[in-house]
Amino acid sequence: MNDTPRPHPDDAHADGPRPAGGSLRVRMARDKMHARLLVVAGVFCVLFGAVSVKLSVATIIMPLAPQQHQIAPQVPPIPKSDPKGMVANDIVLPQVHRASIVDRNGQALAISLPVAQVYANPQEMIDPQDATHKLKRVLPGLDEAETLRRLSSARQFVYVARDISPAQELAINNLGIPGIYFEPGERRRYPMGRVAAQIMGGVDIDDHGVAGVERYFDKRLDSNRAPLTLSLDVRVQNVVHDELQSAMDTFQAIGACAIVMDVRNGEIIAMVSLPDYDANDFGHAPADARFNRAVTGMYEPGSTFKLQTTAMALQDGVAHIWDRFSSVPIKIGRFTISDMKSDHFDTWLSLPEVMAYSSNPAAAHIALDAGAARQQEWLRNMGFFSRVPIELPEAGRPIVPSTHNWGISTVMTVAFGHGVAEPPLAIVRGTAATANGGFLLKPTLLLHDQDRTPGGSPAPDASDAAAPVPGAERLISAANSTILRKILRLDVAGGTGKSAESPGYFVGGKTGTAEKIGAHGGYLKHVNVSAFTGIFPMNAPRYAVYVMLDSPKATPQTHGWTTAAWNAAPTASHIITRIAPMMGLFPDTTHQQAIESSLFIPMRPAVPHGYRALGPGNDPGTAHMQQAEGRHHGSHHGTGEMTSDEGQAERMHAARDEREDALPLTNRPKRG
């Protein structure tokens, strides 16, 4: 068997030349491949050439400005001016997370504006000196030497400028400086300046609220970008501010406050405290200017508190309008309760006369008839023992005597507003409850959803006994509220509040003057806190108005007087006359006689048949006082000691001083 392999036919040419036909095919394939490669290379050259030309034109020959959508993450649009507040309710700016605050008409009170922080990485700087020179052209206030030092440092992060405007940010961005970057931020601004400054409060460097509604609604403002609508009306706020400032200047008072509140729902329409400050300069405002006298200041209410004494007596059935009370000075222990020497009225006064003439001893007798327990319960139910519920963190607690030592002297002095200290808003709240049908409202700085019209809705019918707002507690019957409205109207029409009258608005109210407490205790003679608390219009109660002047001085026009009838009451009249038309209320002179008749109450109402009126020979308060005096003489005869009851007022004043001394200087009320 032959194992020698046979040669393959192709092997015949393995070592020799190939045929000419095979070599030609290989060469043709190679040339075809080279041609394809040349075509592909040519296409790529054309494409790269087109891109190069386009880039040269866009970046060197004819550079294009950046598109808005390209720079939006760094440079937000500049907000448009809206001086009339027409679109304030729709203010939601990009790059701003804190919601704006607007008044009831949509006027911006607080708004956050987009700003930027400029920082740099010096390690990426090509020419720090040139960069500094360019930045100086955009930022005129830039410290060129300091900036050059920073940009030349070996650090990787340095701040160049803070809180620059969007326009400046865009200008710096257009400089194209390598190593310059932007950090978005915002800055809180208050377009209305001094308007409601203490209510607005302020924010810290991190935009967190530190006072006022900025602090109270801090989480809401940071979590919900929809504007927060307050119940304030900046038009009314401005008028109240102007009139109060004028009164403060005229009477050289050291401080003042005024409040306008809707008696139907508790909305605060205006709240002014003077002196004040520009809200944009919160950090540099003096403590006395930041002090909100309307809710933080504690003042003896004086005779404005007689309204509560009268309301208590009527509602609890202690007294009727025809009962009479002694105006003879009352001496208990070392104290004497009396009226001013210039007062000349009868020895026995009816309930309307007690209010109209503002007699201290008569008011004390009314409280004696009620007793300590009933008086405490009334004041507690009316909210005078606790902090006023309002959306302001600065709202303080009242200063009241201990209920354990609430003796007979405390009963009498509290009856005419001495021996207790309350914030003005508490007085306004109590006044509203006497006139709105007897409902105690919760004051609020928020606008109720059901009343968003600029001027509000028409005044309610005075006979409407329904609750003004859901959940309002009725403490006074409708019948007694009607009597109190008539008594308040009588005080303005023929009593101490005559100067508060505003023709056509049927104002009702009560004056109050209290001597201030000195730094070392004891009352300061001729240094007063004068106040007026009122309602208008009395035939259909709509708004409560309160005016307080701290330590007013006498003028030639006041004939040496510093009492409320000469300063606070006329200021309230000026305010009512100016603000009423703004809120849709106009003077009614056509039906004046009919309205006055509906509000009429005689100074000395007749005693109904079958009733024995309180008065001479029938005065339980006198018996209570005599019993107390007997206990005093029996327990302390010859000891020279002061009973706990007699010392109550002095301890209360000492407690107040101690309380104020414990406060930081920024929170202390200014002394007279």
Side-chain angles (χ1 to χ4, degrees):
M1 185 174 195
N2 190 2
D3 296 331
T4 303
R6 294 181 181 183
H8 192 275
D10 292 338
D11 292 344
H13 308 286
D15 296 328
R18 293 177 180 275
S23 177
L24 182 61
R25 285 195 300 270
V26 171
R27 194 179 306 115
M28 290 177 63
R30 185 182 300 113
D31 292 342
K32 188 176 182 178
M33 180 184 67
H34 287 167
R36 289 176 178 174
L37 289 175
L38 287 174
V39 171
V40 172
V43 171
F44 273 102
C45 287
V46 171
L47 291 176
F48 278 114
V51 171
S52 299
V53 171
K54 180 67 175 177
L55 288 175
S56 298
V57 171
T59 60
I60 300 175
I61 302 174
M62 296 177 61
L64 299 176
Q67 299 291 325
Q68 181 64 33
H69 70 274
Q70 294 174 320
I71 62 174
Q74 285 191 336
V75 185
I78 300 173
K80 295 181 180 180
S81 175
D82 181 30
K84 295 184 178 180
M86 300 301 292
V87 296
N89 277 323
D90 296 322
I91 292 178
V92 180
L93 298 176
Q95 302 297 320
V96 170
H97 74 275
R98 192 171 182 86
S100 59
I101 302 174
V102 300
D103 84 332
R104 66 190 303 115
N105 300 314
Q107 175 64 55
L109 293 171
I111 184 172
S112 291
L113 299 178
V115 295
Q117 326 300 334
V118 186
Y119 66 94
N121 183 350
Q123 299 298 314
E124 299 177 2
M125 284 283 166
I126 298 175
D127 188 343
Q129 187 170 7
D130 180 63
T132 303
H133 182 67
K134 290 180 178 179
L135 290 170
K136 178 70 174 180
R137 293 203 304 264
V138 179
L139 304 172
L142 191 70
D143 186 332
E144 200 165 353
E146 176 63 20
T147 302
L148 179 59
R149 185 189 67 79
R150 290 186 178 186
L151 297 183
S152 302
S153 67
R155 301 171 63 183
Q156 294 184 343
F157 179 93
V158 293
Y159 272 115
V160 177
R162 291 176 178 269
D163 293 345
I164 67 171
S165 69
Q168 291 174 316
E169 182 180 359
L170 183 60
I172 294 174
N173 190 66
N174 288 338
L175 294 175
I177 303 174
I180 292 293
Y181 302 95
F182 304 99
E183 181 180 87
E186 59 189 71
R187 180 172 55 191
R188 201 66 163 169
R189 299 297 296 173
Y190 303 91
M192 304 302 291
R194 292 179 176 271
V195 175
Q198 293 100 341
I199 296 175
M200 291 297 102
V203 296
D204 59 17
I205 192 172
D206 296 317
D207 255 9
H208 297 306
V210 295
V213 295
E214 292 277 23
R215 178 181 174 187
Y216 189 92
F217 293 106
D218 189 48
K219 292 183 179 179
R220 153 59 175 94
L221 293 168
D222 279 341
S223 61
N224 185 348
R225 296 180 68 191
L228 178 68
T229 304
L230 300 186
S231 60
L232 296 177
D233 187 326
V234 295
R235 303 169 305 167
V236 178
Q237 183 84 8
N238 271 314
V239 169
V240 174
H241 183 282
D242 289 347
E243 292 294 343
L244 193 64
Q245 185 68 64
S246 176
M248 185 174 168
D249 295 340
T250 299
F251 301 108
Q252 303 176 48
I254 64 172
C257 79
I259 302 170
V260 178
M261 187 181 85
D262 193 322
V263 302
R264 304 166 305 161
N265 51 29
E267 288 180 357
I268 302 298
I269 310 300
M271 179 186 288
V272 178
S273 177
L274 297 177
D276 59 359
Y277 61 97
D278 188 333
N280 295 295
D281 197 28
F282 173 80
H284 299 93
D288 191 46
R290 295 201 306 267
F291 186 76
N292 190 341
R293 287 161 170 77
V295 296
T296 310
M298 299 295 156
Y299 306 93
E300 289 197 344
S303 293
T304 60
F305 228 44
K306 291 172 184 172
L307 175 59
Q308 296 302 320
T309 300
T310 301
M312 170 188 66
L314 286 173
Q315 185 62 28
D316 290 349
V318 172
H320 303 87
I321 58 174
W322 53 78
D323 290 326
R324 291 191 293 164
F325 305 90
S326 174
S327 63
V328 175
I330 302 173
K331 183 172 178 61
I332 179 167
R334 297 186 293 106
F335 303 99
T336 299
I337 299 172
S338 62
D339 294 313
M340 290 187 293
K341 295 180 180 179
S342 59
D343 290 331
H344 301 288
F345 35 70
D346 291 345
T347 303
W348 293 87
L349 302 175
S350 67
L351 197 60
E353 288 177 315
V354 174
M355 286 287 287
Y357 300 147
S358 197
S359 172
N360 293 339
H365 277 281
I366 296 174
L368 285 172
D369 291 347
R374 186 179 277 118
Q375 186 184 53
Q376 291 176 36
E377 181 182 11
W378 178 265
L379 297 179
R380 184 178 293 106
N381 292 340
M382 291 293 288
F384 290 110
F385 279 12
S386 57
R387 175 183 175 274
V388 178
I390 186 70
E391 299 92 349
L392 289 174
E394 297 81 14
R397 297 186 64 85
I399 304 172
V400 297
S402 168
T403 55
H404 299 292
N405 295 320
W406 199 289
I408 193 168
S409 65
T410 301
V411 170
M412 290 190 289
T413 55
V414 169
F416 52 90
H418 286 256
V420 293
E422 299 282 344
L425 185 57
I427 305 302
V428 176
R429 186 190 189 199
T431 302
T434 64
N436 66 3
F439 295 95
L440 184 66
L441 304 176
K442 178 181 178 181
T444 180
L445 286 165
L446 291 180
L447 182 68
H448 286 274
D449 292 336
Q450 65 271 19
D451 185 15
R452 288 187 178 271
T453 55
S457 55
D461 188 339
S463 62
D464 185 7
V469 291
E473 182 183 5
R474 169 164 257 163
L475 299 179
I476 303 173
S477 68
N480 284 330
S481 179
T482 299
I483 294 174
L484 290 168
R485 289 208 311 271
K486 293 180 179 180
I487 291 177
L488 287 172
R489 175 57 187 161
L490 178 66
D491 188 45
V492 173
T496 59
K498 289 180 180 178
S499 54
E501 180 67 296
S502 180
Y505 289 113
F506 310 101
V507 181
K510 184 71 188 75
T511 55
T513 304
E515 292 179 338
K516 291 192 66 174
I517 307 298
H520 304 289
Y523 289 101
L524 301 175
K525 293 297 182 182
H526 310 300
V527 182
N528 300 328
V529 173
S530 61
F532 175 83
T533 181
I535 306 284
F536 77 97
M538 259 313 173
N539 58 309
R542 180 68 182 277
Y543 295 105
V545 176
Y546 177 92
V547 173
M548 184 275 289
L549 295 172
D550 187 350
S551 307
K553 305 295 190 299
T555 68
Q557 290 74 25
T558 65
H559 307 288
W561 293 100
T562 60
T563 52
W566 292 96
N567 44 52
T571 303
S573 173
H574 299 158
I575 289 174
I576 292 170
T577 303
R578 290 185 62 186
I579 69 173
M582 294 180 178
M583 300 185 291
L585 297 177
F586 300 94
D588 188 346
T589 55
T590 305
H591 308 94
Q592 182 169 355
Q593 186 174 357
I595 294 174
E596 292 287 14
S597 297
S598 68
L599 294 173
F600 175 75
I601 187 172
M603 278 286 193
R604 288 206 167 189
V607 181
H609 181 70
Y611 280 85
R612 184 189 178 190
L614 298 179
N618 185 29
D619 183 8
T622 301
H624 297 162
M625 184 172 55
Q626 291 173 346
Q627 292 174 3
E629 287 181 340
R631 289 194 301 270
H632 165 70
H633 290 300
S635 300
H636 300 275
H637 180 68
T639 64
E641 298 178 359
M642 183 170 57
T643 66
S644 62
D645 190 53
E646 290 174 331
Q648 183 62 44
E650 291 190 5
R651 282 197 302 275
M652 193 281 295
H653 301 325
R656 176 190 301 181
D657 293 337
E658 181 180 354
R659 177 189 176 101
E660 291 176 358
D661 289 340
L663 293 174
L665 290 175
T666 57
N667 292 330
R668 293 188 191 177
K670 195 168 184 178
R671 296 291 189 182

